[in-house]
Amino acid sequence: MASSSSRNGGTRGGSMRPVSGANSSNLRSSSFKSRIPSSAPAPRRSSSAALGGGGGGDNGVPGRVRVAVRLRPRNADECVADADFADCVELQPELKRLKLRKNNWDTETYEFDDVLTESASQKRVYQVVAKPVVESVLEGYNGTVMAYGQTGTGKTFTLGRLGDEDTAARGIMVRSMEDIISGTSLDTDSISVSYLQLYMETIQDLLDPSNDNIAIVEDPKTGDVSLPGATHVEIRNQQNFLELLHLGETHRVAANTKLNTESSRSHAILMVHVKRSVVEHEDSVSNDADNSSHFVRPSKPLVRRSKLVLVDLAGSERVHKSGSEGHMLEEAKSINLSLSALGKCINAIAENSPHVPLRDSKLTRLLRDSFGGTARTSLIVTIGPSPRHRGETTSTILFGQRAMKVENMLKIKEEFDYKSLSKKLEVQLDKVIAENERQLKAFDDDVERINQQAQNRISEVEKNFAEALEKEKLKCQMEYMESVKKLEEKLISNQRENGKRNGEVNGVVTASELAKLKGSLEEEIKLKKAAEQEVNKLKSQSTLKTRSGEGEDAGMSRLQKLLEDEALQKKKLEEEVTILRSQLVQLTFEADQMRRCLDRGAPGNSYSDTDSLPSRHSQARESVNGQKAPFATLCEQVGLQKILQLLESDDANIRIHAVKVVANLAAEEANQEKIVEAGGLASLLMLLRSYEDETVRRVAAGAIANLAMNEVSQQLIVDQGGISLLSLTAADAEDPQTLRMVAGAIANLCGNDKLQARLWSDGGIKALLGMVRCGHPDVLAQVARGIANFAKCESRATTQGVKSGRSLLIEDGALPWIVQHANDEAAPIRRHIELALCHLAQHEVNAKEMISGGALWELVRISKECSREDIRSLAHRTLSSSPVFRSEIRRLGIHF
């Protein structure tokens, strides 16, 4: 390559290198600016080309490859070895010239687009070489910045320096990305990078070392080159880009040679893909008939796709100077061959040769758009001052001179932005839908108002009819009472006439009945005395036989059997007494409830049907006439342990009455811990597990619901598998009251912050949602209460940082049911659901699913129409504090 380059040298003897007419103005330009020349007309794109998605039209803007030369200062070795020798080059930056000394009296002069001395800063190098290319990339053109030179002359320092310790030392790669990020918008534009190396004619991915053989794909129509197998990483900020550069540098191949301690053994290629959204405004079109009238065509959303290629070429080297041997020698051969192929291609393009050997190397295939293509290209050649490397310096300078002869045809690549237009149409469609919904709501309101007026008129007519009917009824009642009064007076007169005879007959009957009862009582007393005498006789016989020591097995067996029968009968009598007492207490309690309900003018209910939930517990805890509650009195008289033993009785009636007593005892907070300590909870769970009787399961579930009001009992219920048993009961039961008891128990457990995960994993939430199949309002109210409690605990855990991720209620599919019943007619259901929606919305991660599920509209309705001020304020505060909800509300044009 050096030998072929020497044949294209400049003038000798210190004379100015001749410049041909075509390139004279370009070579003598006063600044290295690669913008579109003012004399060249701007390309006009036809409408079909702009919409086609291809290039920016058939016409292009000519743009010559710009070349700058940079001199590296002497290093420590050169200061010692070349102390007695002058530099082989002399720079004239103000004239953009470079003089190459062949000896003490013979020099060659070359002109470049810019000449950078050894003291030039990295910032100036970037502004001169790369900044115009970066600006073109932001305008939609492809661009290439490449560094070429002998090994050890500062190519990597110029191009790829990261500047971690000193920001002033940042290279072209880092500064280019800073300008690209600042010149784009993260909302509408995108930036992605690929970082590759060409090593031994193999393209390898520096961001993914396992991807070590990437194929080059060429478009048969346009000839564009792409690398579909390369890793593309989207860039959001500068720090992300620096981390990728650090990662790539660790994987790049380097070695220690005599010329450079960290000599790059591969060509590094950084590809930056920029996608920008722009709007093209068409010129106004005049009317031929009236020049004053005109209209403006609508703007076209376009997408411009451009690519910036930054190439850090490996340095050319001579083997006898670098000392490469073995594998390093093979690497040097590969590097020199690829650089030689690049030089041949540039020669062929510069000389307008009919054949350009692009396929001689993968490097030339990758750079086919940079030399003779459509990209704006800047080349910086780096040289050293040492006279020992005069030959390599000459070869580098001549390479740059040939590159200055290459003329590219710059083209903007843009396509129609269908996505942007689609998004705009979607926004307009949403506005139309929102307006239609507002009009529909206004129509519904009018219909509702008319219906309300009709209902008022109907109610007024019914009221008048009812008043007339009531008057007629009172009239009939008065007539009936008068008739009854007359009949009673006649009956009394008849009774007076026959009173004496009837009294005698009644006296006889009463006396005979009393005599009969007295006889029966005396007979019972005699039988009782006979039985007592028989028992005493047997006891005395037993005592005598024991004293005499004579055992009679038959008599003892009979005696033992009689005693066992007596004990068994005594046990049965005790059970019957206990049951009778419990029934008496139960009847007393129910009668007391009925009396108080009648005093209030409302009907009363018994516990066995419905009263087992917290709303009824206050009645059970009240005392009657200042005395203890009847169930507390029963517990003191009989004993809690004995009552719990009756839960295991074989008699179904005894078992039912016992579980009712336990349930009523559990309604009192003072008895809950005692019941749990005595094993009552385990017995209740056993009843749920073992018995299929609907009454037993309903009352047992009610008792567990009462115990679930205590935090300690809640933990024990979960630990003893209570959630699973309640879930199975909910799945099997069909009775609404049983389902209400089970739902109430699970709803109480949902209010414990510590049991959330366990409640969800054991199927409690799914069981709660499964009970909505019943459709009974009381069951749905308990389900809504449980969901509200669970959502409140989740919201509190999220606020405290204990929980993250979306709601477990949404995981189990509760959101559709919640939205469906958010405006339920039943006030308890609606109030709990509204509260649950507000708590779910407080966690930002639930927002998108709530919007897609229709919950946003319900939240807006709650913030406006909810009857409770606290829930209405909570909904309004939640919508105002959530960025996702605010954005969607603005998009839909909702006012709240």
Side-chain angles (χ1 to χ4, degrees):
M1 183 175 183
S3 59
S4 62
S5 300
S6 63
R7 289 195 295 270
N8 296 321
T11 59
R12 299 182 179 274
S15 60
M16 185 69 182
R17 181 174 177 268
V19 181
S20 60
N23 294 329
S24 175
S25 60
N26 289 334
L27 293 178
R28 298 180 183 273
S29 60
S30 61
S31 64
F32 184 58
K33 296 291 183 181
S34 55
R35 296 186 179 275
I36 300 174
S38 58
S39 59
R44 293 187 60 86
R45 297 179 300 279
S46 63
S47 300
S48 59
L51 294 173
D58 297 332
N59 297 327
V61 179
R64 179 177 56 79
V65 174
R66 298 287 176 163
V67 181
V69 62
R70 186 181 192 186
L71 177 64
R72 171 182 60 78
R74 287 193 178 192
N75 55 33
D77 293 339
E78 291 172 346
C79 289
V80 175
D82 301 332
D84 298 333
F85 301 94
D87 292 347
C88 66
V89 292
E90 178 185 350
L91 303 182
Q92 295 178 334
E94 65 281 355
L95 299 177
K96 304 185 186 304
R97 294 177 182 174
L98 177 148
K99 290 185 177 182
L100 178 63
R101 293 192 182 93
K102 302 188 66 176
N103 46 50
N104 291 333
W105 57 88
D106 192 7
T107 62
E108 292 181 349
T109 302
Y110 301 93
E111 284 190 356
F112 289 93
D113 292 298
D114 219 307
V115 175
L116 302 169
T117 65
E118 62 270 24
S119 61
S121 65
Q122 291 280 76
K123 181 178 181 180
R124 170 164 171 72
V125 172
Y126 170 73
Q127 291 178 340
V128 169
V129 177
K131 188 175 181 64
V133 178
V134 173
E135 291 175 349
S136 296
V137 170
L138 291 174
E139 293 172 0
Y141 297 95
N142 288 342
T144 303
V145 178
M146 187 170 64
Y148 178 90
Q150 182 190 6
T151 181
T153 55
K155 296 183 299 301
T156 302
F157 176 85
T158 300
L159 207 64
R161 184 77 170 185
L162 300 181
D164 294 334
E165 298 82 5
D166 182 10
T167 57
R170 292 169 299 166
I172 291 176
M173 288 184 178
V174 179
R175 295 176 186 270
S176 297
M177 184 54 67
E178 288 178 351
D179 282 355
I180 291 176
I181 293 176
S182 63
T184 56
S185 171
L186 293 179
D187 297 331
T188 59
D189 306 334
S190 66
I191 307 169
S192 63
V193 300
S194 300
Y195 200 10
L196 314 168
Q197 70 173 356
L198 179 59
Y199 176 70
M200 300 286 286
E201 283 301 302
T202 301
I203 301 176
Q204 301 175 356
D205 197 332
L206 291 176
L207 302 181
D208 183 9
S210 61
N211 191 9
D212 56 359
N213 191 9
I214 301 174
I216 300 175
V217 177
E218 296 183 10
D219 191 330
K221 295 182 179 179
T222 63
D224 293 339
V225 176
S226 61
L227 301 171
T231 301
H232 290 265
V233 180
E234 186 173 355
I235 302 298
R236 306 295 295 178
N237 52 61
Q238 186 70 9
Q239 183 60 34
N240 185 15
F241 176 67
L242 291 176
E243 291 173 358
L244 291 178
L245 287 184
H246 276 290
L247 177 64
E249 288 300 320
T250 57
H251 297 144
R252 189 176 178 187
V253 181
N256 185 5
T257 67
K258 292 181 180 180
L259 297 178
N260 192 356
T261 57
E262 294 184 2
S263 176
S264 301
R265 314 306 291 171
S266 65
H267 306 301
I269 304 169
L270 177 69
M271 294 185 177
V272 182
H273 300 269
V274 181
K275 175 186 172 183
R276 301 197 66 191
S277 297
V278 296
V279 176
E280 182 187 54
H281 295 280
E282 297 288 345
D283 297 334
S284 60
V285 179
S286 300
N287 192 350
D288 294 338
D290 185 3
N291 293 330
S292 61
S293 63
H294 65 278
F295 65 93
V296 179
R297 294 179 182 176
S299 58
K300 299 177 182 178
L302 302 175
V303 174
R304 289 181 178 175
R305 302 179 186 273
S306 56
K307 178 174 65 175
L308 174 63
V309 181
L310 303 172
V311 185
D312 179 13
L313 296 173
S316 60
E317 62 181 56
R318 295 184 178 179
V319 176
H320 69 277
K321 288 186 179 182
S322 64
S324 300
E325 57 184 11
H327 184 68
M328 289 176 58
L329 179 60
E330 297 300 322
E331 292 175 342
K333 290 180 180 178
S334 177
I335 292 170
N336 289 336
L337 285 174
S338 61
L339 293 177
S340 176
L342 179 61
K344 291 179 181 178
C345 289
I346 290 176
N347 282 341
I349 296 171
E351 296 172 1
N352 293 324
S353 174
H355 171 67
V356 179
L358 292 173
R359 295 189 174 274
D360 288 357
S361 172
K362 289 185 177 180
L363 177 63
T364 55
R365 294 179 65 189
L366 288 173
L367 298 178
R368 67 178 300 168
D369 193 44
S370 303
F371 294 95
T374 62
R376 186 181 297 278
T377 302
S378 288
L379 172 67
I380 180 168
V381 293
T382 58
I383 58 176
S386 176
R388 291 179 297 162
H389 304 300
R390 182 180 289 107
E392 289 83 351
T393 302
T394 302
S395 176
T396 301
I397 292 172
L398 295 178
F399 180 89
Q401 291 290 298
R402 290 193 298 274
M404 291 176 66
K405 299 178 181 179
V406 176
E407 188 89 8
N408 291 347
M409 190 62 65
L410 312 183
K411 293 182 180 180
I412 293 180
K413 296 185 178 180
E414 59 187 18
E415 59 188 18
F416 191 79
D417 191 0
Y418 292 98
K419 292 183 178 180
S420 175
L421 182 60
S422 174
K423 186 175 181 180
K424 183 177 179 181
L425 292 176
E426 286 179 359
V427 173
Q428 294 178 355
L429 179 61
D430 290 338
K431 290 181 179 178
V432 173
I433 292 174
E435 181 63 26
N436 186 30
E437 289 179 350
R438 283 194 292 270
Q439 294 178 358
L440 183 61
K441 188 176 185 303
F443 176 76
D444 292 339
D445 292 341
D446 292 339
V447 173
E448 182 68 22
R449 179 175 52 80
I450 295 172
N451 288 336
Q452 187 63 37
Q453 292 175 355
Q455 289 292 335
N456 293 338
R457 294 186 62 183
I458 292 172
S459 299
E460 186 178 356
V461 172
E462 289 178 348
K463 183 179 179 181
N464 295 334
F465 177 77
E467 291 177 354
L469 184 63
E470 187 66 23
K471 291 179 180 179
E472 188 68 24
K473 182 178 179 182
L474 289 175
K475 182 179 178 181
C476 294
Q477 286 180 351
M478 293 298 294
E479 294 176 355
Y480 172 76
M481 292 299 293
E482 291 178 359
S483 300
V484 170
K485 187 176 180 180
K486 291 178 181 180
L487 290 173
E488 286 179 349
E489 291 176 353
K490 187 176 181 181
L491 179 63
I492 291 171
S493 63
N494 292 333
Q495 286 179 350
R496 287 175 181 174
E497 294 176 358
N498 301 321
K500 185 175 181 180
R501 183 176 57 186
N502 290 338
E504 293 175 355
V505 174
N506 289 337
V508 174
V509 174
T510 303
S512 62
E513 289 179 355
L514 288 174
K516 186 177 180 181
L517 290 173
K518 187 174 181 181
S520 299
L521 182 59
E522 290 176 354
E523 187 177 355
E524 288 291 333
I525 293 172
K526 289 179 181 179
L527 291 174
K528 182 178 180 181
K529 289 182 179 180
E532 290 178 352
Q533 290 175 0
E534 182 69 23
V535 171
N536 292 333
K537 183 180 180 180
L538 290 173
K539 286 183 179 179
S540 63
Q541 290 178 0
S542 176
T543 304
L544 291 174
K545 288 180 180 181
T546 302
R547 290 178 181 177
S548 61
E550 297 177 357
E552 295 181 1
D553 294 339
M556 289 297 292
S557 300
R558 187 173 68 253
L559 179 60
Q560 185 176 1
K561 185 176 180 181
L562 288 173
L563 292 174
E564 289 176 355
D565 292 342
E566 286 289 335
L568 182 60
Q569 189 172 4
K570 181 181 179 182
K571 183 178 179 181
K572 289 184 177 180
L573 288 173
E574 289 178 351
E575 289 182 355
E576 290 178 359
V577 169
T578 303
I579 294 302
L580 289 173
R581 285 180 177 175
S582 66
Q583 290 177 349
L584 178 60
V585 173
Q586 180 84 14
L587 292 173
T588 303
F589 178 66
E590 293 174 357
D592 183 61
Q593 279 188 320
M594 182 65 72
R595 178 177 58 79
R596 278 182 282 179
C597 290
L598 289 174
D599 291 341
R600 293 193 300 266
N605 295 326
S606 64
Y607 165 79
S608 60
D609 293 331
T610 60
D611 295 345
S612 69
L613 294 178
S615 61
R616 310 290 187 184
H617 290 165
S618 59
Q619 297 177 3
R621 288 196 294 269
E622 294 177 355
S623 61
V624 180
N625 296 328
Q627 298 179 357
K628 292 185 178 179
F631 292 105
T633 305
L634 175 65
C635 184
E636 292 180 357
Q637 293 176 354
V638 180
L640 178 61
Q641 194 64 42
K642 189 167 292 184
I643 295 174
L644 294 177
Q645 290 176 358
L646 296 180
L647 294 175
E648 302 176 2
S649 175
D650 296 332
D651 192 330
N653 292 327
I654 295 175
R655 191 167 55 248
I656 291 173
H657 286 296
V659 73
K660 286 182 178 180
V661 173
V662 173
N664 282 287
L665 287 173
E668 301 182 23
E669 187 175 355
N671 298 329
Q672 292 174 356
E673 294 186 5
K674 297 178 182 178
I675 293 174
V676 174
E677 292 174 358
L681 176 60
S683 300
L684 292 171
L685 292 174
M686 181 270 295
L687 291 177
L688 279 184
R689 183 184 296 107
S690 305
Y691 292 96
E692 297 182 357
D693 185 85
E694 193 68 31
T695 304
V696 173
R697 292 201 301 175
R698 179 176 69 250
V699 183
I704 294 173
N706 293 340
L707 293 177
M709 296 177 63
N710 184 281
E711 186 173 353
V712 177
S713 302
Q714 290 175 350
Q715 186 64 50
L716 291 174
I717 291 172
V718 174
D719 293 340
Q720 295 182 21
I723 297 176
S724 301
L725 289 175
L726 290 170
S727 301
L728 291 175
T729 305
D732 297 338
E734 296 295 336
D735 179 46
Q737 298 305 325
T738 303
L739 292 175
R740 187 172 74 92
M741 303 299 176
V742 175
I746 297 177
N748 289 339
L749 294 174
C750 287
N752 193 324
D753 295 317
K754 302 176 182 178
L755 304 179
Q756 297 286 292
R758 184 71 179 275
L759 188 67
W760 178 74
S761 62
D762 287 356
I765 301 302
K766 290 185 178 179
L768 201 63
L769 294 173
M771 285 183 278
V772 303
R773 72 183 186 276
C774 174
H776 195 279
D778 291 340
V779 177
L780 297 183
Q782 295 302 320
V783 172
R785 184 170 69 89
I787 289 175
N789 288 343
F790 195 91
K792 182 178 181 180
C793 292
E794 270 195 333
S795 175
R796 188 160 51 237
T798 302
T799 304
Q800 296 172 355
V802 178
K803 181 185 179 301
S804 60
R806 68 174 185 168
S807 171
L808 298 178
L809 291 172
I810 296 179
E811 291 281 355
D812 278 351
L815 186 59
W817 186 84
I818 293 174
V819 174
Q820 180 184 355
H821 290 77
N823 199 15
D824 198 277
E825 294 180 356
I829 300 174
R830 183 175 66 253
R831 185 178 67 253
H832 289 307
I833 292 300
E834 288 175 345
L835 194 59
L837 273 176
C838 292
H839 286 304
L840 284 174
Q842 286 182 335
H843 193 18
E844 193 72 14
V845 74
N846 299 329
K848 291 186 178 179
E849 293 196 44
M850 294 185 71
I851 291 172
S852 62
L856 176 60
W857 295 103
E858 294 300 332
L859 285 170
V860 173
R861 179 193 61 77
I862 294 169
S863 69
K864 295 180 179 180
E865 303 176 3
C866 182
S867 59
R868 285 182 49 175
E869 175 65 25
D870 56 341
I871 298 179
R872 191 164 65 248
S873 300
L874 179 60
H876 191 278
R877 188 168 59 254
T878 301
L879 291 174
S880 301
S881 61
S882 172
V884 178
F885 284 135
R886 291 202 309 271
S887 176
E888 185 67 13
I889 287 172
R890 286 195 302 270
R891 189 180 72 83
L892 296 177
I894 301 174
H895 300 285
F896 75 101

